[in-house]
Amino acid sequence: MKLKIDADLFLFDLDGTIYLGDKPIEGSIETLKKLTAMGKKVCFLTNNSSKDKREYLKKISSMGYPVDLWQIVTSTMATIQWLHTRKPGKSVYPIGTPTFIEELKDSAIPISEDADIVLLAFDTTINYEKLWKANILLEKGRDFIATHPDTVCPSDIGDMPDVGAFMALFECACGRAPGVICGKPYSPMAEIIGKLFDIPKERIVMIGDRLYTDILFGINNGYQSTLVLSGETTVEMFNASGVKPTYVLNSVKDMFEEE
Ligand SMILES: [Mg+2]
């Protein structure tokens, strides 16, 4: 079996790339095992800021790939790193799940009702009070940042409105958009990769099913990129997009070819 992609660090998106809902995509777990056996570094990169790393560790491990915590990178981690380096000591008003807020607290990010920064995450526990409080702060001119730009998150029973959809709500309510977005395809996510792995950019490949996050993340940050057609993007969408990944494959299984 020959590996088609010449890289040392393989950054994988999860939903639509490794699994669909609770089912692994055919051949994905075997591919991860083969890469690891070859001595390649395998890492999972998710924009979903509603869950923490341990939940992903459980899910991926239960599918048969024994994963370590260091292999999982979330937009929450990129956001925390960005806050510590660019806005040290500044307080945030988070729109996020209890898990997200725990992660902020564990990382010593100050939280306040009258915060310097409104921080929008993927909040599956969102309510009117949070939207209203955030809107008041935004009208006062406080900074506005978001964990990631995805408009929807796929689920078995239908798409879930994600951070991008809430960004549109605030754009409508107060005319404000985030000044910084931390997850794929933006640079704070690449900064956390740079901090965690001492590997040259050209030896890194981003593999994912979403053009405007995964593939642009690779292109914008100097990595190789691989579009897989096992999730959101169809051949028609890809042809119409004008986006040019380094590789296009039906699924991660096709990373290896018979010799
Ligand atoms: Mg995906």
Side-chain angles (χ1 to χ4, degrees):
M1 296 293 268
K2 188 171 172 287
L3 179 58
K4 290 179 191 172
I5 300 168
D6 184 24
D8 297 318
L9 172 59
F10 290 74
L11 306 174
F12 287 94
D13 169 58
L14 286 169
D15 223 306
T17 302
I18 298 300
Y19 50 68
L20 280 169
D22 286 327
K23 282 201 197 88
I25 290 170
E26 196 208 329
S28 67
I29 300 299
E30 291 73 15
T31 299
L32 298 172
K33 285 181 175 170
K34 275 189 235 169
L35 287 169
T36 306
M38 288 173 77
K40 302 293 186 185
K41 279 210 155 57
V42 168
C43 177
F44 303 98
L45 214 55
T46 177
N47 269 356
N48 189 336
S49 53
S50 72
K51 297 177 181 165
D52 86 352
K53 287 165 46 145
R54 278 164 198 84
E55 293 177 61
Y56 289 109
L57 182 127
K58 235 188 267 171
K59 181 164 180 175
I60 300 164
S61 298
S62 75
M63 290 179 175
Y65 178 73
V67 63
D68 282 323
L69 269 185
W70 66 263
Q71 291 174 282
I72 300 167
V73 178
T74 66
S75 67
T76 305
M77 294 164 67
T79 302
I80 288 168
Q81 155 93 353
W82 188 89
L83 285 167
H84 277 312
T85 53
R86 305 305 210 292
K87 302 279 177 184
K90 296 284 185 201
S91 60
V92 302
Y93 179 72
I95 296 183
T97 57
T99 304
F100 179 76
I101 289 165
E102 266 324 294
E103 285 191 80
L104 295 178
K105 286 181 182 165
D106 289 347
S107 307
I109 302 290
I111 294 173
S112 162
E113 294 271 306
D114 188 34
D116 305 302
I117 302 164
V118 171
L119 170 53
L120 180 59
F122 182 22
D123 189 358
T124 51
T125 62
I126 200 161
N127 61 29
Y128 196 82
E129 190 191 354
K130 292 186 198 179
L131 294 171
W132 189 8
K133 281 185 177 167
N135 201 62
I136 291 167
L137 294 174
L138 293 174
E139 282 184 337
K140 287 182 181 170
R142 305 294 161 83
D143 284 352
F144 186 18
I145 76 168
T147 55
H148 60 284
D150 301 57
T151 54
V152 291
C153 176
S155 94
D156 296 344
I157 50 172
D159 286 340
M160 304 168 74
D162 201 338
V163 169
F166 293 116
M167 280 165 34
L169 182 147
F170 287 114
E171 183 90 53
C172 180
C174 62
R176 298 280 311 272
V180 172
I181 304 175
C182 296
K184 297 175 283 185
Y186 298 104
S187 57
M189 199 68 156
E191 285 172 26
I192 190 89
I193 292 297
K195 187 169 182 258
L196 295 170
F197 300 97
D198 185 22
I199 293 176
K201 286 184 169 188
E202 58 278 10
R203 300 297 303 162
I204 299 175
V205 60
M206 176 71 218
I207 302 135
D209 70 309
R210 197 166 257 184
L211 287 164
Y212 72 92
T213 54
D214 301 318
I215 302 309
L216 285 188
F217 179 66
I219 292 170
N220 292 351
N221 295 290
Y223 307 141
Q224 301 181 60
S225 57
T226 300
L227 175 69
V228 287
L229 300 169
S230 51
E232 177 179 271
T233 306
T234 61
V235 175
E236 292 72 30
M237 284 162 73
F238 167 58
N239 288 337
S241 71
V243 177
K244 293 192 168 52
T246 324
Y247 307 90
V248 182
L249 303 172
N250 282 325
S251 78
V252 295
K253 188 173 82 168
D254 294 341
M255 286 169 61
F256 287 91
E257 61 190 346
E258 303 285 346
E259 277 175 296

